[in-house]
Amino acid sequence: MNFKELRLFGLYMGKEYAQEIFRLLVSYKTLSASEAASRLNLHIRTAQDFLEAMTTLHILKKEEVYEKKRPYYRYTLLSNSHQITINFDQLADKKNPDSILEQEIKEFSNSSAKFTTARNGNYFSNVTIWIGNNRNSEQRKINLTKAQGQFLYNLPFPDSEYMSITDIYKKAEIESEFLNEIIDIVTVLIEYKVIDKKN
Amino acid sequence: MNYINKLKPDKNITGLFQPVIAIFLFLAIFLLFNLTWALFSLSIVYFLYTLLSIKFSTKTKNPNFLVPGTFQLLFAIYLLVLPEGLVPITRIEPRIFLAVAVLFMIFSAYLMFTKKLKWKGREIFELSAQNVSIKEGSFTGRPKPITKIDFSLQQIKEFSQFFQKNLFGLTYYSDKQIYFVPVKMGDEYKMLINSQSHILDKTWVSFAESGEIIVHISKKDYLEYKEDLSFNDLCDNMGNVFIDFIDSYFKNEQIRINDKIDSVSNSIFA
């Protein structure tokens, strides 16, 4: 199940009538939206939305049937037990990591970002940036991990030559296991125009 | 080599505060009360100046501060023991105190003119700016790691004592790092009361236990330059100035450090 499906699943499973609808599906074998609604004293639209969502998530199947020439759907459990697997790796950046690491960057000129040095080392503990225009701008503070703070400590100045992410993290002597979090903060700071990416 | 001054002219008038405060206080007390109390208040002011001089001397291990300190102390005593003073004396001539005080005052003036009481932070900024071109929009508030050098923290600590004693600036120590803060004339009073936590916003060059040198130039000091210099090059240069100084120090060529300083030095008051 991907994260979008999981969100949908969580949304409907959190409803107070969810358990009762599943109990009916197990007992009745097939169920229509109007039967679920009348049995549980719900609005028919509520029951229908629930059953349609579970069908989308491949927990139920639906079959179109006719009653006095009027079509409607009946819903059946695909299986009496259902296992959910969440793949968190899907959340990682899908771009080719090698191409990201070769991106050349430096600090943006006049970025207005304020970097705070950690008390007990030569790295930054957080960066504060202003988002928005003048009157409507708001301050956003991003706390950094040690690896991120070390990386940004070694970020080339606005008037320096660009350096690749690889070269910067090697200069900062950061272990490669922290690369994903570095790529993440670089992506965010490029978006907020704190880091300038060479085209 | 001819150096081009890149800093704006020094308009700091902190050095005038001492005599101005003294005169103002004397006149105010004299007008409000009488001459005796005015002399007494002036002697208090000079006792306080004595304490400041002693504080500078102990902080920097530079004994030259004791010369103006002695002048200030003797003058304070003279103001007390004058016939019009609070504690007039008759057994010895009060003007002896004045005479000796004047001798120390002349010696202090000599030390000033020979720059032995001059804070040389401004010269460090000038040296750092030599051969740095203009580059607008290059400032950043971040410190810059420069390079690693092959000196131990103990050696850097030894150099720091030389640095302070010769009034290039003040130094601050933590477990694994030493901070060098260049001090300009007029800024020494504020720096004296600053704790270590307050120096991080100022211009500093630090040496870590690992040998890494890091430079931080404050925005206030950056704006003291006449133009927007390339900030990256400025930080690099400042780091190199310190590396050169350390190198000369450990080669027993301290005179070369003073030569470089003198080559960019202008007024004895700036």
Side-chain angles (χ1 to χ4, degrees), chain B residues 61-82:
Chain B
K61 307 281 189 290
N62 185 327
N64 291 329
F65 283 108
L66 296 178
V67 175
T70 307
F71 152 67
Q72 287 151 353
L73 179 65
L74 288 171
F75 191 63
I77 294 172
Y78 170 69
L79 291 170
L80 275 179
V81 303
L82 271 175

CSV table of all heavy atoms in Angstrom, one decimal, chain B residues 61-82:
chain,number,residue,atom,x,y,z
B,61,LYS,N,48.8,41.0,29.8
B,61,LYS,CA,50.2,40.8,30.3
B,61,LYS,C,51.1,41.8,29.7
B,61,LYS,O,52.3,41.5,29.5
B,61,LYS,CB,50.6,39.4,30.0
B,61,LYS,CG,49.7,38.3,30.5
B,61,LYS,CD,49.9,38.0,31.9
B,61,LYS,CE,49.1,36.8,32.4
B,61,LYS,NZ,47.6,37.0,32.4
B,62,ASN,N,50.6,43.0,29.4
B,62,ASN,CA,51.4,44.0,28.8
B,62,ASN,C,51.7,45.1,29.9
B,62,ASN,O,50.8,45.8,30.4
B,62,ASN,CB,50.7,44.7,27.6
B,62,ASN,CG,51.5,45.7,26.9
B,62,ASN,OD1,52.4,46.4,27.6
B,62,ASN,ND2,51.4,45.9,25.7
B,63,PRO,N,52.9,45.2,30.4
B,63,PRO,CA,53.2,46.1,31.5
B,63,PRO,C,53.2,47.5,31.2
B,63,PRO,O,53.1,48.4,32.1
B,63,PRO,CB,54.6,45.7,32.0
B,63,PRO,CG,55.3,45.1,30.7
B,63,PRO,CD,54.2,44.5,29.9
B,64,ASN,N,53.2,47.9,29.9
B,64,ASN,CA,53.1,49.3,29.5
B,64,ASN,C,51.9,50.0,30.0
B,64,ASN,O,52.0,51.2,30.2
B,64,ASN,CB,53.2,49.4,28.0
B,64,ASN,CG,54.6,49.0,27.4
B,64,ASN,OD1,55.6,49.2,28.1
B,64,ASN,ND2,54.6,48.5,26.2
B,65,PHE,N,50.8,49.3,30.2
B,65,PHE,CA,49.6,49.9,30.7
B,65,PHE,C,49.8,50.5,32.1
B,65,PHE,O,49.1,51.4,32.6
B,65,PHE,CB,48.4,49.0,30.7
B,65,PHE,CG,47.8,48.7,29.4
B,65,PHE,CD1,48.0,47.6,28.7
B,65,PHE,CD2,47.0,49.7,28.8
B,65,PHE,CE1,47.4,47.3,27.5
B,65,PHE,CE2,46.5,49.5,27.5
B,65,PHE,CZ,46.7,48.3,26.9
B,66,LEU,N,50.8,50.0,32.8
B,66,LEU,CA,51.0,50.4,34.2
B,66,LEU,C,51.6,51.8,34.2
B,66,LEU,O,51.6,52.5,35.2
B,66,LEU,CB,52.0,49.5,34.9
B,66,LEU,CG,51.4,48.1,35.1
B,66,LEU,CD1,52.4,47.1,35.8
B,66,LEU,CD2,50.1,48.1,35.9
B,67,VAL,N,52.2,52.3,33.1
B,67,VAL,CA,52.7,53.6,33.0
B,67,VAL,C,51.6,54.7,33.1
B,67,VAL,O,51.6,55.5,34.0
B,67,VAL,CB,53.6,53.8,31.8
B,67,VAL,CG1,54.1,55.2,31.6
B,67,VAL,CG2,54.8,52.8,31.8
B,68,PRO,N,50.7,54.6,32.2
B,68,PRO,CA,49.5,55.6,32.3
B,68,PRO,C,48.8,55.3,33.6
B,68,PRO,O,48.2,56.2,34.2
B,68,PRO,CB,48.7,55.3,31.1
B,68,PRO,CG,49.1,54.0,30.5
B,68,PRO,CD,50.5,53.8,30.9
B,69,GLY,N,48.8,54.0,34.0
B,69,GLY,CA,48.1,53.7,35.3
B,69,GLY,C,48.7,54.4,36.5
B,69,GLY,O,48.0,54.9,37.4
B,70,THR,N,50.0,54.5,36.5
B,70,THR,CA,50.8,55.1,37.5
B,70,THR,C,50.5,56.6,37.5
B,70,THR,O,50.3,57.3,38.5
B,70,THR,CB,52.3,54.8,37.5
B,70,THR,OG1,52.5,53.4,37.4
B,70,THR,CG2,53.0,55.4,38.6
B,71,PHE,N,50.5,57.2,36.3
B,71,PHE,CA,50.2,58.6,36.1
B,71,PHE,C,48.8,58.9,36.7
B,71,PHE,O,48.6,59.9,37.5
B,71,PHE,CB,50.3,59.0,34.7
B,71,PHE,CG,49.4,60.2,34.3
B,71,PHE,CD1,49.6,61.4,34.8
B,71,PHE,CD2,48.3,60.0,33.5
B,71,PHE,CE1,48.8,62.5,34.5
B,71,PHE,CE2,47.4,61.0,33.2
B,71,PHE,CZ,47.7,62.3,33.7
B,72,GLN,N,47.9,58.1,36.3
B,72,GLN,CA,46.5,58.3,36.8
B,72,GLN,C,46.4,58.2,38.3
B,72,GLN,O,45.7,59.0,39.0
B,72,GLN,CB,45.5,57.3,36.1
B,72,GLN,CG,45.3,57.5,34.7
B,72,GLN,CD,45.0,56.3,33.8
B,72,GLN,OE1,45.1,55.1,34.3
B,72,GLN,NE2,44.7,56.4,32.6
B,73,LEU,N,47.1,57.2,38.9
B,73,LEU,CA,47.0,57.0,40.3
B,73,LEU,C,47.7,58.2,41.1
B,73,LEU,O,47.1,58.8,42.0
B,73,LEU,CB,47.8,55.7,40.7
B,73,LEU,CG,47.8,55.4,42.2
B,73,LEU,CD1,46.4,55.2,42.8
B,73,LEU,CD2,48.7,54.2,42.5
B,74,LEU,N,48.9,58.6,40.6
B,74,LEU,CA,49.6,59.8,41.2
B,74,LEU,C,48.7,61.1,41.1
B,74,LEU,O,48.7,61.9,42.0
B,74,LEU,CB,50.9,60.0,40.6
B,74,LEU,CG,52.0,58.9,40.9
B,74,LEU,CD1,53.2,59.0,40.1
B,74,LEU,CD2,52.3,59.0,42.4
B,75,PHE,N,48.1,61.2,39.9
B,75,PHE,CA,47.3,62.4,39.7
B,75,PHE,C,46.1,62.4,40.6
B,75,PHE,O,45.7,63.4,41.2
B,75,PHE,CB,46.9,62.5,38.3
B,75,PHE,CG,46.3,63.9,37.9
B,75,PHE,CD1,47.0,65.0,38.0
B,75,PHE,CD2,45.0,64.0,37.5
B,75,PHE,CE1,46.5,66.3,37.7
B,75,PHE,CE2,44.4,65.2,37.1
B,75,PHE,CZ,45.1,66.3,37.2
B,76,ALA,N,45.5,61.2,40.8
B,76,ALA,CA,44.3,61.1,41.7
B,76,ALA,C,44.7,61.5,43.1
B,76,ALA,O,44.0,62.2,43.8
B,76,ALA,CB,43.8,59.7,41.6
B,77,ILE,N,45.9,61.0,43.5
B,77,ILE,CA,46.4,61.3,44.9
B,77,ILE,C,46.6,62.8,45.0
B,77,ILE,O,46.3,63.4,46.0
B,77,ILE,CB,47.6,60.5,45.2
B,77,ILE,CG1,47.3,59.0,45.3
B,77,ILE,CG2,48.3,60.9,46.6
B,77,ILE,CD1,48.5,58.1,45.4
B,78,TYR,N,47.3,63.4,44.0
B,78,TYR,CA,47.6,64.8,44.0
B,78,TYR,C,46.3,65.6,44.2
B,78,TYR,O,46.2,66.6,45.0
B,78,TYR,CB,48.3,65.2,42.7
B,78,TYR,CG,48.4,66.7,42.5
B,78,TYR,CD1,49.2,67.5,43.4
B,78,TYR,CD2,47.7,67.4,41.5
B,78,TYR,CE1,49.3,68.8,43.2
B,78,TYR,CE2,47.8,68.7,41.4
B,78,TYR,CZ,48.6,69.5,42.2
B,78,TYR,OH,48.7,70.8,42.0
B,79,LEU,N,45.2,65.2,43.5
B,79,LEU,CA,43.9,66.0,43.6
B,79,LEU,C,43.4,65.9,45.0
B,79,LEU,O,42.6,66.8,45.5
B,79,LEU,CB,42.9,65.4,42.6
B,79,LEU,CG,43.2,65.7,41.1
B,79,LEU,CD1,42.3,64.8,40.2
B,79,LEU,CD2,43.1,67.1,40.8
B,80,LEU,N,43.7,64.8,45.7
B,80,LEU,CA,43.2,64.6,47.1
B,80,LEU,C,43.9,65.4,48.1
B,80,LEU,O,43.4,65.9,49.1
B,80,LEU,CB,43.2,63.1,47.5
B,80,LEU,CG,42.1,62.2,47.1
B,80,LEU,CD1,42.4,60.8,47.6
B,80,LEU,CD2,40.8,62.7,47.6
B,81,VAL,N,45.3,65.5,47.9
B,81,VAL,CA,46.1,66.0,48.9
B,81,VAL,C,46.5,67.5,48.7
B,81,VAL,O,47.2,68.1,49.4
B,81,VAL,CB,47.4,65.2,49.1
B,81,VAL,CG1,47.1,63.8,49.4
B,81,VAL,CG2,48.3,65.3,47.8
B,82,LEU,N,45.9,68.1,47.6
B,82,LEU,CA,46.1,69.6,47.4
B,82,LEU,C,45.6,70.3,48.6
B,82,LEU,O,44.7,69.8,49.3
B,82,LEU,CB,45.2,70.0,46.2
B,82,LEU,CG,45.7,69.9,44.8
B,82,LEU,CD1,44.6,70.2,43.8
B,82,LEU,CD2,46.9,70.9,44.6
